[in-house]
Amino acid sequence: MRHLLTLQDLPRDTLERLLDAAQALRPDALRRGPHRPLRGLTVANLFFEPSTRTRASFQLAAQRLGADVVNFDAESSSTRKGETLVDTLRNLEAMGAGLFVVRHTHSNVLAALAGAAAETSSVVSAGDGRTSHPTQGLLDMLTIRQHKGEDFSRLSVAIIGDIRHSRVARSDVEALRTLGVRDIRIAGPESLLPDADAEAFHGTRTVHDLAQALDGCDVVMMLRLQRERMDEGLVSSLEEYYRDWGLSPEALALAKPDAIVLHPGPMNRGVEIADAVADGPQSVILDQVSNGVAVRMAVLEALAR
Ligand code: CP
């Protein structure tokens, strides 16, 4: 594996090997251990959109594996003076960086960067427009596997919220399909659902009602309501959104009693999820965050080989 830009078409054995490696790295993920295979490598974090979890966990993952890390600040960089992203990458390569972690608003920028990178460099997506967020998909699968076991084929999974604009939903669906989930329910207000022919959601079932989406499901994946969608007129009010699509304790009771609740963050508490659910016994949201470090360690190690 030279680059990781998407989970689409990633073979099942590769995906499972990454999950196995991340699981094995869990003890090293939360403190610096003796395992330092990336010593001598420089990882550059290039984020052109805000991030808390992904940026911090890629930085920690690289450091815990012994790499040097450059945290490139897009706002104060020479891209503000018109320098292109390809020139930025080449300049960082000239300083010895060999692995580029990139988040960008526009889809396809990452593919162009990967195409322009030196043969010895790798590019990993930290969020690519609305099309993919592969390491989020992997950490979500690791979290589900830890709570529900390795056989995904019997799981019912509901993905709820702003599906249309969500790169997390796309990567999760790709990974869930690869791991054999047959019942993937996509639910949200009509204005936030993908087009019926959207290839990324092939094989999923669209549900137009929260109760139907949650009915008897094993895994509930809530998505952030992207508040900018209100400005676009796609959502009428936060109160209505919570009433119709918010995950309250009463709504969660429609899922299986041992259902788990995921959310990629950042959460809008009281909009898509109630405090009592986000902080409740079925929430695995902070497990996702811890798993993010382990997954990113596994990915960086695989790319550096
Ligand atoms: N889940 C996620 O991508 O969070 P950040 O935007 O904080 O990185």
Side-chain angles (χ1 to χ4, degrees):
M1 195 164 69
R2 172 151 170 236
H3 305 293
L4 180 64
L5 304 183
T6 173
L7 296 182
Q8 197 181 16
D9 303 328
L10 193 71
R12 180 170 180 158
D13 63 332
T14 306
L15 198 157
E16 289 184 324
R17 265 206 307 276
L18 285 170
L19 297 185
D20 292 343
Q23 183 64 36
L25 284 162
R26 278 273 303 176
D28 288 334
L30 300 185
R31 68 191 126 63
R32 187 177 289 223
H35 186 61
R36 314 291 293 280
L38 299 196
R39 203 189 296 259
L41 183 78
T42 299
V43 175
N45 278 332
L46 280 67
F47 279 69
F48 295 90
E49 267 188 6
S51 168
T52 296
R53 282 147 289 271
T54 313
R55 182 178 3 212
S57 59
F58 264 116
Q59 177 177 351
L60 289 168
Q63 288 171 333
R64 284 175 182 155
L65 292 170
D68 294 321
V69 180
V70 175
N71 280 315
F72 167 90
D73 176 14
E75 281 304 307
S76 60
S77 77
S78 287
T79 57
R80 301 283 300 200
K81 294 186 271 186
E83 188 164 38
T84 67
L85 292 191
V86 169
D87 280 338
T88 302
L89 175 132
R90 288 188 178 141
N91 277 269
L92 290 166
E93 279 178 337
M95 292 180 225
L99 213 154
F100 295 86
V101 176
V102 189
R103 170 174 288 191
H104 205 282
T105 319
H106 299 298
S107 303
N108 307 322
V109 168
L110 273 73
L113 275 181
E119 262 181 39
T120 48
S121 294
S122 293
V123 176
V124 55
S125 166
D128 185 3
R130 66 168 76 167
T131 57
S132 70
H133 195 347
T135 56
Q136 181 72 44
L138 290 170
L139 74 89
D140 288 346
M141 297 310 113
L142 183 62
T143 307
I144 294 170
R145 198 169 83 162
Q146 285 164 351
H147 289 273
K148 296 291 170 193
E150 292 193 7
D151 180 5
F152 277 44
S153 66
R154 292 178 190 280
L155 294 180
S156 295
V157 179
I159 306 179
I160 298 168
D162 181 0
I163 313 284
R164 177 183 284 268
H165 304 97
S166 175
R167 55 192 172 210
V168 174
R170 284 166 174 76
S171 286
D172 279 339
V173 167
E174 285 160 1
L176 290 167
R177 261 197 319 243
T178 300
L179 293 174
V181 180
R182 291 188 288 256
D183 182 8
I184 307 175
R185 308 167 192 179
I186 297 295
E190 194 66 44
S191 58
L192 299 181
L193 289 173
D195 295 334
D197 60 351
E199 194 180 332
F201 296 97
H202 172 74
T204 65
R205 182 158 61 92
T206 302
V207 177
H208 298 276
D209 163 272
L210 182 63
Q212 256 187 308
L214 292 169
D215 184 32
C217 75
D218 302 281
V219 177
V220 185
M221 306 178 95
M222 299 305 293
L223 297 176
R224 178 173 78 91
L225 175 67
Q226 303 185 18
R227 284 171 184 246
E228 53 275 28
R229 306 302 163 211
M230 283 195 64
D231 301 336
E232 294 169 17
L234 297 179
V235 177
S236 46
S237 76
L238 298 181
E239 292 71 27
E240 267 184 42
Y241 188 86
Y242 182 72
R243 187 195 64 205
D244 295 340
W245 295 103
L247 190 63
S248 62
E250 298 72 32
L252 180 57
L254 299 168
K256 285 195 182 143
D258 63 349
I260 55 171
V261 176
L262 291 86
H263 191 303
M267 284 186 279
N268 295 304
R269 290 170 176 264
V271 177
E272 69 261 1
I273 191 165
D275 285 340
V277 175
D279 304 325
Q282 289 168 267
S283 168
V284 295
I285 293 168
L286 291 178
D287 292 357
Q288 290 174 269
V289 178
S290 303
N291 283 331
V293 183
V295 156
R296 286 161 182 139
M297 288 170 78
V299 167
L300 293 178
E301 217 180 329
L303 292 171
R305 270 197 201 112

